[in-house]
């Protein structure tokens, strides 16, 4: 009937509507007339789409003329990227880090960084080939290179930067854009100041952008192949190359995960559509699925792991990164530990390590807490030292000092054993009491100290109960009794029930920046676990007693451990940086980054505003238009029957997904972010911009289109040249600088430039380093942090002071991105062996308890003695000044006192209470001179 | 199937069941569709009759307006056939378009009221569908009220909420992180039961004679009782079969955690109640969708809005269920947007109705609860300092209003940060352990002497003479601020602040004779609430004038945002000096709160007024900031707290009170079969959905469109509900407890019932199979409940004497 008639002759389209017969293809079906019916049937039975047999690889059809054009573009790009690449001859921005890492690789000294190794390895390779011996330290921005082949190192990112440009050209061509469009994109990318600046220095973003671009190119090629005919050799090649490139991008920076997400989303969509194609049998679909799974998941993972394998192979010796890794890991870094006795018994000398943090060994030294009980400090110390040695003593016998371990039968330490731990060097016991610890001043934490003296056996507060948490599966004994390295245990304080505890909190300078140890009443299990690292030979053990050592970790466990360290550190990078920025400000190019200022020149990372804003505008335009089309589609309009709409929708949609995937995840990140994190997204935005251009000019004649493109390119080049001095560190004038400040928030250092170019021709005089020597007053060991406060009283109030304090954050001075792994070295306090005799011991046998924890403030300069001790703080720190010794009677008595006092000083903040008022009064009586001052 | 064939059954005389085939039974669609035609679409679109509604297999699912479905035969009495009588709209729906369409008509199925019952048995038979929920409600009363006063001590968070209720009775202003509605209801319960508000509600303390705690608990438990009928009727509205309705009611009735939490003076029973009502009203509204703008449609929509307002006014967790309603509405409107047959006018009306009822109405309810809160609490109390100075000025018992109004040199003042949640400028003798090491300056929320500052002239100016001429503070004056207890001066320098590293540190420096020009601050007036913008401000007034303090040497502004200092700063708010000169940044605004100057005349409290909207917003921001500040200490093992991952599989319970041998002990733990079943069903749903989608993409047809839509609709309500009530807890930094999962649990229960319904009770199984399946489920639920009942009713005697409660090793029921 009527339906049959339609089959023969389609209805005439309504006038004014470009009617195209609805089809399931996104693109107009390729003419297939040259295939015979048999061939077509055969192709269909295999699940292939209809199409020509042979096609150009990756859907790229490029004429020889275009290749020539491409060569010219490449030459231009080389000129732009590598012009004066040897200038400046001093360290710029994050070259501080990445140059240093190259030096570490060459010296094979272990380090850790938040980025995977590929890009750093490539830079290292270039440096190594040019004969870098790793002696230059890249210490700070502006340091002049000596003995460092920095040009070769900079050539690596520059080469990647250059290579990005033809890739972008080919990608757009493979996406079925016109040559003019592709040319426009490559010119835009070439003259993007930000990309230029970034690729001229030893930084990782240029390789990252290159590999992102490469991945996109391969994936587009693969998709084109897939549309033609799957499972050919070409198809496999493109797929495998996509996988390899994915591995490379994620091995440069973790931002590469976003590229993986982009490819992943598109692949899932492909598979979903394939699933709906009933010509594809389930078996065929499964093949499709597994081919992609292998190439796009397995290959990248293998590539990534290979990079780390290389990393580990190169970094064979220990270095500054050791402190972040576990003891097992460090065992592989050359400076391993010798085998130690496996059995621990009463009377053994042992070192105890904290399991969960890298704080190190349970440690004590002949310095006292300045607050709290005033007893000897207990800390965690990361290095091997005699002060880490503890002797395990029996707490259940009287007079254990004289207990004869050499002749009595050996007693192992089981779950529930009561022990005392005696610090060998200072001869004091591990002690805890109801006093708040110095830093973690909360009511569930108690202070841990070393208490006692030679000959004094201590009290019941020295008793600890061993609770074995778990042993090692390879050593059954270790679950039942304490064994070196294999047993994880907790130490419960017998009297108060709290657990020996440590966490990532550093003591201040008086504690030599070592890690705090407390006794926690509500201890989190992870941070209260300890293990014995070394044990000396117990007298009762035979010489051939079993010995143990750390298990050498395999590659996988090392790899996994490093990933975890990188992850936690990356998440912890939350400090603000002077030039950091939030993602919202990136598309509008609100502010750049000051890379380098020296000799009246500046390098400042800023994009090409024209290209940048145009790309942002095209993204917004796309969103608006797509949203509008979505609404129209919902209202039943058939826009998507138009092949042109469909073509540009899938093209722009792909690029837009790439943009979103590389941009929006940054909003979820709390860490420090910089403008250059936007570059991968910018790459997509520029391509999208050109796709929009392609659409907008699709109805124009080729010649006109070329003219429009030429105008855009010329504007881009002009804008580029306006800001190029900032990219190359070229001479500039104040006038031009302030003219270029189009946006108020672009903070170029205009005052650094000369008035006139002619002034540059003279001998360059290095600018004086304005940092003045830091005069520190106070800060003797054990005291408060040293500070400088200049007395400005009576001076003319208008003169700004010069660097009043040494912790000032200089504003507007280039500063490398912070590297959390480059912490200050642990302060090495080598406690002398057996020097405790020299330390005056008369203050050992009395409890020094200050009722109020705060010290007399050192805010005032030391010269003004009359002002010191104004506060009541020191009023009852009588241990030293008044010699008010309180002989220790019993632990119980001591505990009572401490409880009372503990409550006292808990109130030390907030309202001035009655007690404090009294304390004030006492202080006035003690220090009448202070009152006189008042 | 063509509709004309279905019509055969219309005129079937009552009493003779129209069974033409064994599956083809009790199809009530004609009852609803005539009115659908009349009201929704008019008569123009006859071809648009949703034919899929009449599929014989699935018609039972659409039957939502009445009692539970009839596919089982278990509950299906004769009432379905009896309805056929009243189908007076005509037998031929196609031939009877009713042109007169009233604007506001009842959207109800056109069913004339039945004749008044003449006997009790007739009454019962007429309301037979309501019999099961009534029975369940009675059972619920028993479980909820049984031994409710057994524990005569303050259990768990009664310590908080009882105390807040007392504050309402005493009318003292307090501060809490939760919105006020629930606590006002607690206060109301106290009022009704004759409580005088003088009990302290200390945790674990035995109740006083004067506290009618049993009556108060009963009132709270009443909300818990209502959960059961709500569960039943929600299941009915969701179109579940009667078997599933019974299961839902049983699960709501028998969950030990819901039972335990609703037996005490807590907010959770109210939160659960309003969550349940919101879901119920939403489904009720959904079922009015074919009679838009009818009276019922408006009524249920408005009720949904009010319920949303209530649930968010009890706890902010209610926002999650609001999000469920929001998602539903957005999807609904999106579908309507694609409906080309709808006129533009109707489109706009749909949008307007949603905006009015689901956005404006809830906000009004929420604000109303705060308005009442402010009206009731008009005395000064423990929470004063969280509010703006102006608000505090009119609380009874506060003397700010009587401060001297104009500020002069030599005045002793406290300065209040005007940023949201700002505190009083504070300093104490402790020093910064980082940076300069000078004395700390913070923002502090409580009143004490350490907040006192004296306004002094510069060092160069002649020293302040207490007997000299009064010199009033003016815009642009350069002052020193001296901390009264320590005599140090407010000081800033180019040292990075401890937390906000980009700002300058602010410290206390020097003493009454030592200082430098870094102690100088320029007073800049922003505006005055009374006097108007800056140009009109002649004198700086306490309370009303908004000030900024600019550091003279550095040009930065005194700034207090919500950055908390670490332990060494006692977690107080950091004060720094910001270099960014943003004149609109509230965090740089300060006002003088208390003001003492013997030489100035006292002010008048009547002079000050604080706008409600401002107070409302201020309080909400303060609640938000302190809610976010409830961060667990990473070093402290909190045995009460649990992480969201512990909940779906019931890894942890919660001891609600002391664990002594001689007191009743309550343990907050669910009924395992319900919790585990719910979690399993969520996973199964995702898998099943995936399989269906895969098969759909391969063009298999598993269900009719209508079945599929219904499967998705119920799945979406339950699935989105669960997801939205669960995942936000991962993002939240604050400490979480087991009871946060209780609203979430409801959605997993619905999902459980939905899947059972989908695979068993509404599928083509034999009745006997369904009966057996129901029996097993019901037995497991009730049996489980009975096994664990003591945890909600109170465990007496030494805990270790009770056997068999430790089903997972991680539960800390027994004493080790």
């Amino acid at each position: 009937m009527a339906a049959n008639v339609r089959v023969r002759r389609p209805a005439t389209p309504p006038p004014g509507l470009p009617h195209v017969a609805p089809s399931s293809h996104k693109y107009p079906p390729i003419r297939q007339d040259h295939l015979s019916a048999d061939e077509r049937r055969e192709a269909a039975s295999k699940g292939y789409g209809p199409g020509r047999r042979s096609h150009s690889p990756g859907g790229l059809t490029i004429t020889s003329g275009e290749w020539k054009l491409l060569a010219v573009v490449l030459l231009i790009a080389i000129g732009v990227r590598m012009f004066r690449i040897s200038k400046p001859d001093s360290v710029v921005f994050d070259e501080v880090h990445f140059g240093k890492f190259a030096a570490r690789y060459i010296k094979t000294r272990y380090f850790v960084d938040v980025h995977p190794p590929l890009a750093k390895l490539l830079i290292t390779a270039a440096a190594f080939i040019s004969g870098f011996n790793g002696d230059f330290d890249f210490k700070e921005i502006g340091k002049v290179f000596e003995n460092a082949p920095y040009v070769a190192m900079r050539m690596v990112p520059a080469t990647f930067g250059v290579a990005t440009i033809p890739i972008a050209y080919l990608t757009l061509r493979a996406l079925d854009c016109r040559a003019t469009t592709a040319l426009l994109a490559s010119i835009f990318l070439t003259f993007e100041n930000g990309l230029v600046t970034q690729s001229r220095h030893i930084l990782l973003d240029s390789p990252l952008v290159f590999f992102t671009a490469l991945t996109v190119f391969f994936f587009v090629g693969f998709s084109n192949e897939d549309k033609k005919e799957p499972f050919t050799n070409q198809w496999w090649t493109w797929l495998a190359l996509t996988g390899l490139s994915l591995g490379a991008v994620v091995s440069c920076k973790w931002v590469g995960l976003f590229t993986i997400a982009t490819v992943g989303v598109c692949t899932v969509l492909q598979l979903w559509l394939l699933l709906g194609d009933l010509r594809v049998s389930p078996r065929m679909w499964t093949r499709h699925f597994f081919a992609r799974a292998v190439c796009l998941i397995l290959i990248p993972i293998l590539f990534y792991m290979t990079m780390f394998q290389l990393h580990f192979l190169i970094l064979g010796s220990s270095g500054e990164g050791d402190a972040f890794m576990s003891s097992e890991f460090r065992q592989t870094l050359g400076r391993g530990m010798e085998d130690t006795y496996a059995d621990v018994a009463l009377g053994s000398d042992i070192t105890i390590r904290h399991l969960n943090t890298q704080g190190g060994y349970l440690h004590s030294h002949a310095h006292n807490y300045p607050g709290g009980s005033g007893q000897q400090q207990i800390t965690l110390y990361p290095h091997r030292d005699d002060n880490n040695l503890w002797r395990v003593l029996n707490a259940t016998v009287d007079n254990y000092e004289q207990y004869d371990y050499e002749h009595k039968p050996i007693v192992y330490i089981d779950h529930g054993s009561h022990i005392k731990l005696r610090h060998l060097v200072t001869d004091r016991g591990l002690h805890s009491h109801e006093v708040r610890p110095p830093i973690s001043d909360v009511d569930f934490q108690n202070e841990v100290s070393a208490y006692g003296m030679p000959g004094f056996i201590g009290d019941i507060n020295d008793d600890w109960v061993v609770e074995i948490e778990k042993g090692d599966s390879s050593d059954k004994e270790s679950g039942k009794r304490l064994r070196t390295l294999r047993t994880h245990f907790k130490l419960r304080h017998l009297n108060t029930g709290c657990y020996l505890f440590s966490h990532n909190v550093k003591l201040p300078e008086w504690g030599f920046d070592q890690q705090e140890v407390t006794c926690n009443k509500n201890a989190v299990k992870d941070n209260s676990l300890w293990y014995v690292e070394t044990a000396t030979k117990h007298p009762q053990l035979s010489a051939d007693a079993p010995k143990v050592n750390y298990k050498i970790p395999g590659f996988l466990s090392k790899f996994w451990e490093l990933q975890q360290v990188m992850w936690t550190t990356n998440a912890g990078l939350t400090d603000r940086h002077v030039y950091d920025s939030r993602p919202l400000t990136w598309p509008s190019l609100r502010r750049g980054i000051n890379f380098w200022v020296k000799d009246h020149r500046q390098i400042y990372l800023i994009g090409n505003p024209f290209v940048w804003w145009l790309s942002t505008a095209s993204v917004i335009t796309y969103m608006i238009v797509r949203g509008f089309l979505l609404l129209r589609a919902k209202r039943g309009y058939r826009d998507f029957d138009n092949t042109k709409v469909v073509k540009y929708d899938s093209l722009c949609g792909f690029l837009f997904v790439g943009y979103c995937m590389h941009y929006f995840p940054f909003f979820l990140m709390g860490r420090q972010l910089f403008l250059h994190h936007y570059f991968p997204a910018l790459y997509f935005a520029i391509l999208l911009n050109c796709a929009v251009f392609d659409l907008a000019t699709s109805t124009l004649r080729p010649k006109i289109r070329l003219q429009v493109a030429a105008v855009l390119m010329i504007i881009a080049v002009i804008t580029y040249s306006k800001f190029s001095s900032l990219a190359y560190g070229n001479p500039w004038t104040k006038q031009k600088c302030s003219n270029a400040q189009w946006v108020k928030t672009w903070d170029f250092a205009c005052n650094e430039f000369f008035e006139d170019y002619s002034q540059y021709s003279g001998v360059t005089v290095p600018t004086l380093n304005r940092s003045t020597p830091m005069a520190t007053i106070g800060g003797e060991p054990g005291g408060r942090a040293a500070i400088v406060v200049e007395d400005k009283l009576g001076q003319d109030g208008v003169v700004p002071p010069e660097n009043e304090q040494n912790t000032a954050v200089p504003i507007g001075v280039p500063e490398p991105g912070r590297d959390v792994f480059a912490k200050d070295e642990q302060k090495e306090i080598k406690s002398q062996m057996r020097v405790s005799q020299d330390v005056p011991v008369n203050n050992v046998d009395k409890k020094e308890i200050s009722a109020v924890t705060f010290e007399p403030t050192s805010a005032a300069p030391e010269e003004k003695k009359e002002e010191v001790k104004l506060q009541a703080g020191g009023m009852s720190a009588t241990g030293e000044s008044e010699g008010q010794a309180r002989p220790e009677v019993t632990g119980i008595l001591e505990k009572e006192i401490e409880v009372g006092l503990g409550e006292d000083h808990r109130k030390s903040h907030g309202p001035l209470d009655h007690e404090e008022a009294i304390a004030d009064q006492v202080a006035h009586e003690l220090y009448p001179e202070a009152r006189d001052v008042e | 199937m063509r509709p004309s064939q279905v019509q055969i059954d219309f005129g079937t005389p009552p009493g003779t069941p129209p069974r033409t085939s064994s599956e083809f039974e009790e199809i009530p669609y004609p009852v609803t569709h005539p009115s659908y035609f009349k009201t929704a679409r008019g008569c123009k679109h006859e071809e648009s009759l949703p034919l899929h509604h009449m599929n014989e297999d699935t018609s039972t699912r659409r039957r939502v307006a009445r009692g539970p479905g009839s596919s089982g035969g278990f509950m299906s009495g004769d009432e379905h056939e009896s309805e056929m009588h009243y189908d007076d709209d005509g037998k031929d729906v196609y031939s009877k378009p009713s042109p007169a369409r009233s604007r506001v008509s009842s959207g109800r199925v056109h069913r004339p009221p039945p004749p008044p019952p003449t006997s009790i048995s007739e009454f019962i038979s007429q309301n037979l569908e309501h019999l099961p929920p009534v029975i369940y409600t009675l059972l619920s009363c028993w479980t909820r009220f049984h031994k409710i006063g057994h524990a005569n001590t303050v259990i768990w968070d009664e310590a908080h909420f009882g105390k807040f209720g007392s504050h309402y009775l005493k009318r003292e202003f307090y501060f809490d992180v939760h919105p006020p509605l629930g606590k006002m209801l607690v206060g109301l319960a106290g009022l009704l039961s004759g409580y005088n508000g003088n009990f302290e509600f200390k945790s674990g303390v035995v109740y006083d004679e004067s506290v009618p705690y049993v009556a108060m608990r009963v009132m709270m438990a009443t909300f818990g009782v209502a959960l059961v009928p709500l569960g039943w009727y929600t299941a009915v509205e969701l179109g579940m079969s009667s078997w599933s309705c019974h299961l839902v009611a049983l699960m709501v009735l028998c969950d030990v955690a819901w039972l335990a939490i609703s037996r005490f003076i807590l907010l959770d029973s109210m939160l659960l109640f309003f969550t349940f009502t919101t879901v119920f009203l939403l489904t009720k509204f959904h079922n009015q969708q074919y009679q838009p703008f009818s009276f019922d449609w408006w009524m249920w929509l408005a009720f949904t809005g009010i319920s949303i307002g209530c649930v968010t006014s009890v706890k902010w967790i209610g926002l999650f269920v609001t999000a469920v309603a929001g998602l539903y509405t957005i999807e609904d409107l999106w579908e309507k947007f694609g409906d080309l047959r709808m006129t533009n006018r109707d489109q706009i009306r749909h949008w307007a109705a949603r905006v009015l009822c689901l956005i404006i109405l809830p906000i009004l309810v929420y604000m109303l609860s705060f308005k009442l809160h402010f009206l009731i609490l008009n005395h000064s109390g423990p929470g004063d300092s969280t509010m703006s100075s102006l608000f505090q000025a009119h609380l009874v018992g506060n003397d700010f209003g009587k401060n001297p109004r104009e500020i002069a040199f030599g005045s002793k003042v406290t300065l209040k940060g005007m940023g949201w949640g700002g505190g009083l400028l504070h300093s104490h003798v402790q020093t910064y352990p980082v940076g300069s090491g000078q004395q700390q300056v913070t923002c502090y929320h409580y009143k004490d002497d350490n907040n006192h500052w004296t306004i002094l002239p510069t060092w160069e100016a002649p020293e302040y003479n207490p007997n000299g001429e009064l010199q009033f503070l003016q815009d642009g004056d350069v002052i020193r601020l001296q901390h009264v207890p320590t005599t140090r001066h407010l000081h800033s320098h180019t040292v990075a602040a401890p937390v906000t590293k980009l700002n300058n540190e602010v410290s206390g420096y020097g003493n009454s004779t030592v200082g430098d020009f870094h102690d100088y601050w320029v007073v800049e007036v922003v505006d005055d609430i009374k006097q108007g913008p800056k140009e009109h401000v002649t004198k700086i007034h306490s309370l009303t004038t908004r000030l900024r303090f600019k550091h003279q040497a550095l040009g930065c502004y005194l700034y207090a945002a919500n950055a908390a200092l670490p332990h060494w700063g006692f977690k107080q708010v950091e004060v720094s000096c910001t270099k960014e000169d943003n004149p609109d940044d509230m965090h740089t605004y300060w006002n003088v709160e208390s003001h003492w100057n013997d030489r100035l005349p006292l002010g008048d409290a009547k002079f000050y007024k604080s706008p409600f909207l401002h107070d409302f917003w201020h309080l909400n921001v303060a609640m938000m900031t302190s809610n976010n500040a409830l961060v667990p200490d990473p070093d402290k093992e909190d045995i009460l707290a649990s992480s969201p991952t512990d909940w779906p599989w019931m890894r942890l319970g919660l001891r609600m009170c002391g664990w002594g041998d001689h007191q009743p002990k309550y343990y907050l733990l669910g009924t395992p079969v319900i919790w585990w079943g719910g979690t399993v069903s969520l996973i199964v749903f995702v898998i099943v959905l995936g399989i269906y989608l895969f098969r759909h993409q391969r063009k298999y047809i598993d269900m009719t469109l209508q079945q599929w839509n219904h499967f998705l609709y119920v799945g979406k309500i339950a699935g989105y509900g669960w997801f939205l009530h669960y995942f936000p807890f991962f993002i939240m930094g604050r400490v979480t407890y087991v009871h946060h999962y209780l609203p979430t649990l409801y959605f997993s229960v619905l999902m459980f019932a939905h899947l059972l319904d989908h695979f068993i009770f509404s599928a083509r199984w034999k009745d006997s199979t369904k009966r057996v399946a129901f029996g097993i489920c019901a037995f497991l639920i009730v049996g489980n409940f009975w096994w664990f009942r003591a945890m909600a009713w109170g465990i007496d005697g030494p805990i270790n004497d009770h056997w068999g409660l430790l089903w997972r090793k991680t539960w800390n029921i027994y004493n080790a």
Side-chain angles (χ1 to χ4, degrees), chain A residues 272 275-276 280 442 503 520 522-524 634-635 787 789 792 797 804-805 807-808 857 867 871 908 910-911, chain B residues 334 337-338 340 347 429-431 436 448 450 488 493-495 509 511 516-517 567 570 634-635 637 697-699:
Chain A
W272 186 247
L275 189 70
V280 180
V442 284
H503 47 181
N520 190 330
N522 301 96
V524 182
K634 190 73 193 172
R635 292 297 292 176
I787 57 143
V789 183
K792 288 287 184 287
E804 192 187 14
Q805 254 92 28
T807 48
T857 175
E867 195 248 334
Q871 283 316 304
S908 61
Chain B
W334 180 242
F337 180 73
L340 296 181
Q347 293 274 6
V429 287
Q430 281 78 10
T431 54
S436 69
D448 75 32
N450 271 333
R488 298 191 189 281
H493 37 221
T494 56
V495 176
Y509 170 66
N511 60 18
D516 63 21
F517 72 102
H567 272 308
F570 313 104
D635 293 338
E637 177 108 83
Q697 184 74 358
R698 292 300 289 183
K699 313 282 190 288

Side-chain angles (χ1 to χ4, degrees), chain A residues 51-182:
Chain A
R52 284 181 299 168
R53 256 291 163 68
S54 62
H55 52 269
S56 50
L60 271 174
T61 41
I62 292 184
T63 58
S64 58
E66 271 187 272
W67 286 115
K68 285 173 196 155
L69 180 68
L70 203 51
V72 173
V73 169
L74 199 59
L75 284 179
I76 296 174
I78 290 174
V80 170
R81 292 288 196 278
M82 299 185 182
F83 171 67
R84 289 184 79 224
I85 198 164
S86 60
K87 300 285 175 194
D89 59 351
S90 55
V91 179
V92 176
F93 195 54
D94 272 355
E95 288 185 344
V96 168
H97 301 311
F98 302 119
K100 192 161 54 190
F101 293 144
R104 294 284 140 71
Y105 273 123
I106 284 170
K107 296 205 153 194
T108 72
R109 300 268 296 277
Y110 189 78
F111 69 91
V112 278
D113 180 29
V114 287
H115 302 301
L118 174 63
K120 285 175 289 183
L121 283 172
L122 290 171
I123 292 167
T124 310
F128 185 70
I129 290 166
S130 347
F132 183 40
N133 58 6
D135 280 342
F136 187 71
D137 63 355
F138 295 91
K139 198 167 165 54
E140 61 192 7
I141 290 177
K143 184 166 182 179
V144 177
F145 289 113
E146 293 157 8
N147 306 325
Y150 66 96
V151 177
M153 292 164 81
R154 280 181 187 167
M155 284 300 276
V156 174
T159 313
F160 281 122
V162 169
T164 312
I165 284 148
I167 293 291
Y169 185 95
L170 294 175
T171 309
L172 278 184
R173 290 294 285 140
L175 281 169
D176 205 17
C177 285
R178 296 177 182 82
T180 322
T181 315

Side-chain angles (χ1 to χ4, degrees), chain A residues 437-487:
Chain A
I439 302 296
S440 304
D441 188 0
V442 284
D443 55 359
F444 58 88
Q445 298 267 32
N446 281 350
E447 183 190 86
V448 176
S449 62
Y451 173 67
M453 56 184 274
F456 175 59
I457 57 167
D459 58 34
I460 197 169
N461 272 338
D462 292 355
D463 288 3
W464 299 85
V465 182
V466 177
E467 291 187 2
I468 289 177
E469 185 64 30
K470 84 182 204 346
D472 193 86
S473 54
S474 65
D475 180 6
K476 286 211 175 110
E477 282 294 294
S478 64
K480 295 174 199 147
R481 63 185 169 88
L482 203 59
R483 301 264 280 184
T484 313
L485 294 175
R486 301 287 181 255
T487 310

Side-chain angles (χ1 to χ4, degrees), chain B residues 594-619:
Chain B
S594 302
H595 177 207
W596 297 270
N597 196 333
D598 299 338
R599 305 165 65 195
L600 292 172
L602 295 183
D604 185 3
K606 284 179 198 152
F607 183 68
Y608 307 107
K609 214 189 284 172
S610 177
F612 165 71
L613 275 181
H614 181 266
D615 294 336
F616 166 75
W617 190 245
H618 194 107
L619 183 55

Side-chain angles (χ1 to χ4, degrees), chain B residues 385-389 392 414-426 442-445 546-547 549 558-562 573 575 585-593 614 618:
Chain B
S385 53
T386 47
M387 297 303 290
S388 69
S389 310
Q392 295 178 48
T414 61
L415 292 169
K416 169 115 178 158
M418 296 193 75
W420 307 115
L424 295 163
L425 191 69
H426 179 95
T442 65
C443 248
Y444 186 59
H445 276 107
R546 304 203 285 179
L547 304 169
F549 293 97
L558 193 66
Y559 177 83
N562 299 316
V573 178
V575 171
D585 190 353
M586 291 289 278
H587 295 296
T588 60
Y589 290 2
W590 300 83
N591 70 290
V592 175
E593 184 169 288
H614 181 266
H618 194 107

